[in-house]
Amino acid sequence: HLLGIINDILDMSRIESGRMALRDEEFSFRDLLDQINVMINGQCVDKGLNYECHIIGHIRDYYIGDDMKLKQVLINILSNAVKYTHEGRVVFEGNVIDKTDDTVKIQFKVTDTGIGIKKQDIGKLFQAFQQVDSKRNRNIEGTGLGLSITKQLLVLMNGDITLESEYGKGS
């Protein structure tokens, strides 16, 4: 746990100082998905949750980019969904929404039946060291850095993150 906190702080420091560099290497998208699915499915099984992964449309087997940072982003979002879901399911979808000969834009969507977030708290989630509704989440560990790092990594990748949530019903 301590190592995870240290890594988050180091990532945040590199991002804020402008020294976070993204790799530009070929990677197997199928292998990336398999690794993520094994990890998240295991977390769901441990909590008695159902986990689903759906790929919509044609996603190629290989892409050029930083698979480690993409995996970090997706695992962080999915792990949060599992962390804040006490019953029901977590669903992960990938969908190609735009592509050219040289680039592809994939939309990832994570849906859960978790505790949800009040609308007025949504903006806080992407700020460093912020957690919402700490009374309800007293037993859930975290530094409040994960989603801030995730958002900043996505910006570096020319991406974005949004959140829709209904308090008490999921996100």
Side-chain angles (χ1 to χ4, degrees), residues 3-22 66 69 72 145 149 152-153 156:
L3 182 59
I5 292 171
I6 291 168
N7 284 332
D8 282 351
I9 291 169
L10 290 173
D11 277 350
M12 199 66 179
S13 176
R14 280 190 289 272
I15 290 169
E16 288 181 346
S17 69
R19 294 191 335 226
M20 176 65 74
L22 296 177
D66 192 329
K69 295 298 183 220
Q72 179 180 355
L145 285 174
I149 291 169
Q152 292 184 49
L153 285 174
L156 284 173

Side-chain angles (χ1 to χ4, degrees), residues 54-68:
H54 306 285
I55 302 302
I56 302 164
H58 177 71
I59 294 183
R60 288 185 255 157
D61 288 335
Y62 289 92
Y63 289 100
I64 304 291
D66 192 329
D67 63 326
M68 296 299 287

Side-chain angles (χ1 to χ4, degrees), residues 105-122:
K105 188 177 217 179
I106 302 172
Q107 178 183 53
F108 296 102
K109 183 177 180 181
V110 176
T111 308
D112 64 57
T113 56
I115 63 174
I117 299 162
K118 294 177 183 174
K119 291 199 186 316
Q120 67 265 24
D121 291 333
I122 289 175

